Amino acid sequence: MVPLTMLLKRETIGYRFGSGQQMMNHLLFMDDLKLYGRSEEELEKLVDVVHVFSRDIGMEFGLDKCAVLILKQGSKVHCEGILLPDGKEMSEMDESGYKYLGVLEGADIMQKEMKQKVRDEYLRRVKLVAKSKLYGGNLIKAINAWAVSVVRYSAGILDWSDRELKEMDVKTRKRLTMFGTFHKKGSVPRLYMKRKHGGRGLISVVDCVREEELGLCGYVKASEEWMLKVVGEMVEVGETKKEYKKRVQKERRENFMQKRLHGKFMRDVSEVADERSWQWLRAGYLGKGTEGFVFAAQEQALRTRFFRATIQKEAVDPKCRVCGKEVESVGHLASGCSGLAQKEYRRRHDRMGLRVYWELCRKYGVKCADVWYKEVPDEVRVSEDGQVEIWWDRGVETTQKMEHNRPDVTVLNRVAQEWTFVDFSVPWDKNVVLKEDEKVAKYAPLAKEIRKMHRVSTKVVPLVVGCLGVVSSRFVGYLKVLGIPDVLGGMQTCAVIGTTLILQKVLSV
């Protein structure tokens, strides 16, 4: 059985087939048939035609799903139903209406009832997805595909007002907040920005409906079918669907960037952040709560002492609760607190660098764990052929005293006669470029001394990932110098999760 709409009006017959149309031995299987007649007598004749056709192909009317509706001047008129040739009766439609292609109809589309039905089903699906254990990225995709599609289907059929659609968006955010996906003080515009631009990627119900309406208008306007041409002459379109999407995204981003607090992070990193700074976000492998927390951190929405003292006007000392020296902001706790440097920052730093160490061991045939996160680095490891040594956090001996002679990873390649010094860092995000330059300058004297001592070539490779995921345009190039796979997303995830753990631990004190 496949969808088929049959329109009989003014002695003209038209057909519209749904997907899955099947024809076998010249027989047509059909369903969802709607007949129009100018009088009861004409309607009975049409029913007779369909009854004969159905009998010939072995089909029967599902009378429990059939109904008759008589209208005069737009108002329903009582009728006794229609008697079929086989003696069965098709009764009059009752007050509850009937469902045609998923939409309740009576004398007209039952707007109020359908809106409530769509609203309830949409919010039910949002709640089910929000309370699930999906990763943050998959959770947003699930809402866009499974929940928003309920509203999308009604666009152009139901007469949605902006107020009704905005209320649905508000209730969506409340449910996301209830289950830890969205921070209650988080940025609303950013929630609906695309992930490749640093947003969460949620589809707004308002945008969904308006885009579909403009798309339908554009389709009708461009159609060559005579009936749609008549409709197209009555439709006025101010902008296309594509223009609408582009305009709304631009306005949303500008609105977000202008926010004094929410937009500060994005303004600070706009000059240093590469487009791949959001790779961890596009991958979507963080838990829903972690992803929401990271966004709140970037938007300065966490309840640090600075936030409580300046934004919420609480009587609290804005100085850091750990070191007591600087103002306690997100940036200070994430990368600038001396009280967290030796333990918390070091743990995050080593975890991020461990992935690179493991990849280098695999590249040179050095014994290592099956998976990187189970790796426990040794001070010195040697390849099976003895031609490559990989050092972890070991000082390099030189004839002259060096101020900086302990890079995080040192690779001695005797075959290529090359020494490579790799150093990691997880600074505040707007400082990633400065930190890269600092690392190169820091180990340049050591590289020069090793070249003189051993007559080898040397490389200094700084791998810097911002504590909230930002990287510079040079980062991927440094990975290529090492000749290892592109592990940027994994390193970003390590840095972001490490920062989240630090912030949650400190702010819970």
Side-chain angles (χ1 to χ4, degrees):
M1 306 291 281
V2 298
L4 166 66
T5 298
M6 181 176 178
L7 178 64
L8 291 85
K9 197 171 185 180
R10 296 183 181 177
E11 300 180 351
T12 300
I13 301 179
Y15 300 91
R16 178 168 63 88
F17 300 93
S19 61
Q21 175 185 348
Q22 303 177 16
M23 295 193 70
M24 185 178 296
N25 297 327
H26 304 289
L27 298 181
L28 179 65
F29 298 90
M30 57 188 174
D31 195 5
D32 284 346
L33 188 65
K34 193 185 254 191
L35 304 175
Y36 294 88
R38 287 174 291 185
S39 64
E40 292 185 48
E41 293 75 16
E42 184 175 304
L43 191 58
E44 289 178 354
K45 292 179 181 179
L46 295 176
V47 172
D48 288 343
V49 171
V50 176
H51 183 270
V52 172
F53 181 81
S54 301
R55 181 194 60 199
D56 290 346
I57 64 175
M59 291 182 64
E60 295 181 357
F61 283 109
L63 290 178
D64 59 326
K65 297 182 180 179
C66 295
V68 180
L69 175 64
I70 304 298
L71 297 175
K72 287 187 178 180
Q73 296 182 349
S75 300
K76 180 181 176 182
V77 178
H78 175 71
C79 73
E80 298 298 333
I82 293 179
L83 189 65
L84 302 179
D86 59 3
K88 296 180 181 179
E89 183 177 322
M90 187 181 297
S91 61
E92 181 185 24
M93 185 191 74
D94 58 28
E95 295 300 325
S96 62
Y98 68 97
K99 184 182 291 186
Y100 182 68
L101 298 179
V103 179
L104 289 175
E105 299 182 24
D108 200 350
I109 292 177
M110 301 173 71
Q111 294 278 347
K112 183 177 179 180
E113 293 81 359
M114 272 305 300
K115 284 182 179 180
Q116 189 60 48
K117 185 176 181 181
V118 169
R119 188 183 296 111
D120 291 345
E121 178 61 16
Y122 166 74
L123 294 175
R124 183 187 75 85
R125 295 189 181 190
V126 169
K127 183 177 179 179
L128 286 175
V129 174
K131 67 190 292 188
S132 71
K133 296 182 179 180
L134 290 171
Y135 286 132
N138 291 337
L139 186 145
I140 296 297
K141 290 179 182 177
I143 293 177
N144 291 344
W146 189 49
V148 177
S149 61
V150 176
V151 184
R152 188 187 302 276
Y153 184 77
S154 70
I157 300 173
L158 303 183
D159 185 19
W160 291 106
S161 67
D162 282 344
R163 181 183 61 80
E164 291 171 326
L165 296 175
K166 288 177 180 178
E167 285 179 355
M168 290 171 67
D169 276 333
V170 170
K171 290 181 178 180
T172 299
R173 295 194 293 272
K174 286 182 178 180
R175 280 157 178 76
L176 294 178
T177 302
M178 185 185 307
F179 295 101
T181 303
F182 181 64
H183 195 278
K184 61 181 180 180
K185 297 293 184 179
S187 171
V188 173
R190 194 180 183 193
L191 178 64
Y192 301 109
M193 285 168 53
K194 293 182 179 180
R195 286 189 166 245
K196 66 179 181 180
H197 297 149
R200 298 292 294 278
L202 184 66
I203 296 177
S204 164
V205 171
V206 176
D207 293 349
C208 169
V209 171
R210 298 308 175 223
E211 287 172 14
E212 289 300 309
E213 289 175 346
L214 290 173
L216 288 171
C217 290
Y219 174 79
V220 170
K221 283 284 190 181
S223 176
E224 295 298 323
E225 189 176 344
W226 71 269
M227 286 186 290
L228 292 181
K229 280 187 174 181
V230 174
V231 177
E233 293 174 357
M234 298 183 289
V235 174
E236 295 183 3
V237 182
E239 60 184 341
T240 65
K241 178 180 178 179
K242 185 176 181 180
E243 291 171 342
Y244 174 86
K245 291 177 67 174
K246 187 175 181 180
R247 175 178 61 81
V248 169
Q249 282 293 324
K250 181 181 178 182
E251 291 175 353
R252 188 167 283 143
R253 180 172 176 80
E254 290 176 349
N255 182 22
F256 167 66
M257 293 292 284
Q258 290 172 2
K259 298 288 184 180
R260 184 172 66 89
L261 203 60
H262 286 169
K264 186 178 187 304
F265 177 84
M266 296 289 274
R267 291 194 300 271
D268 288 345
V269 303
S270 60
E271 297 297 324
V272 300
D274 182 63
E275 61 181 9
R276 295 192 63 185
S277 294
W278 308 113
Q279 181 165 318
W280 65 272
L281 180 60
R282 297 179 70 178
Y285 292 137
L286 291 184
K288 60 182 181 182
T290 302
E291 186 176 286
F293 189 88
V294 173
F295 270 76
Q298 291 182 351
E299 294 156 11
Q300 311 295 310
L302 300 181
R303 294 189 76 247
T304 61
R305 289 188 173 183
F306 173 76
F307 182 87
R308 292 166 59 191
T310 58
I311 304 300
Q312 298 183 328
K313 306 301 181 182
E314 294 183 15
V316 61
D317 183 2
K319 292 294 182 66
C320 175
R321 71 192 74 185
V322 179
C323 67
K325 299 175 182 178
E326 304 291 337
V327 171
E328 186 185 274
S329 63
V330 172
H332 172 75
L333 292 178
S335 63
C337 180
S338 59
L340 300 171
Q342 295 302 316
K343 187 175 179 180
E344 303 297 340
Y345 295 167
R346 185 69 186 182
R347 184 185 294 117
R348 178 182 61 186
H349 166 278
D350 290 350
R351 192 66 177 171
M352 185 190 78
L354 184 63
R355 180 61 184 274
V356 176
Y357 173 83
W358 182 77
E359 292 289 354
L360 288 170
C361 288
R362 292 183 67 198
K363 176 184 176 181
Y364 292 109
V366 176
K367 186 178 179 180
C368 60
D370 294 334
V371 289
W372 74 269
Y373 51 84
K374 293 183 179 180
E375 183 63 64
V376 179
D378 296 323
E379 187 178 40
V380 178
R381 284 191 184 176
V382 184
S383 63
E384 293 181 0
D385 59 8
Q387 297 300 309
V388 177
E389 291 185 16
I390 299 179
W391 301 352
W392 174 268
D393 192 25
R394 183 187 183 190
V396 179
E397 295 182 0
T398 57
T399 56
Q400 295 185 18
K401 186 177 180 180
M402 294 284 120
E403 183 180 359
H404 304 289
N405 69 337
R406 199 181 190 91
D408 293 317
V409 175
T410 303
V411 180
L412 284 67
N413 189 336
R414 295 187 176 87
V415 176
Q417 293 187 332
E418 179 181 78
W419 287 48
T420 303
F421 304 112
V422 185
D423 211 56
F424 313 112
S425 183
V426 189
W428 184 235
D429 296 73
K430 71 175 183 178
N431 298 324
V432 291
V433 172
L434 293 176
K435 186 59 70 172
E436 286 176 344
D437 294 338
E438 178 186 309
K439 292 289 183 183
V440 173
K442 179 178 178 180
Y443 289 103
L446 175 63
K448 181 179 179 181
E449 184 65 19
I450 291 298
R451 287 197 299 269
K452 290 171 57 178
M453 289 176 58
H454 300 282
R455 298 185 181 278
V456 294
S457 62
T458 58
K459 295 178 182 177
V460 177
V461 181
L463 293 179
V464 180
V465 177
C467 54
L468 293 177
V470 169
V471 295
S472 76
S473 58
R474 300 181 290 192
F475 188 92
V476 176
Y478 288 133
L479 289 180
K480 290 180 179 179
V481 170
L482 295 178
I484 62 176
D486 189 344
V487 293
L488 170 58
M491 295 179 70
Q492 286 176 313
T493 301
C494 288
V496 167
I497 291 178
T499 301
T500 300
L501 294 174
I502 292 171
L503 291 173
Q504 289 176 337
K505 181 177 179 179
V506 173
L507 295 177
S508 64
V509 176

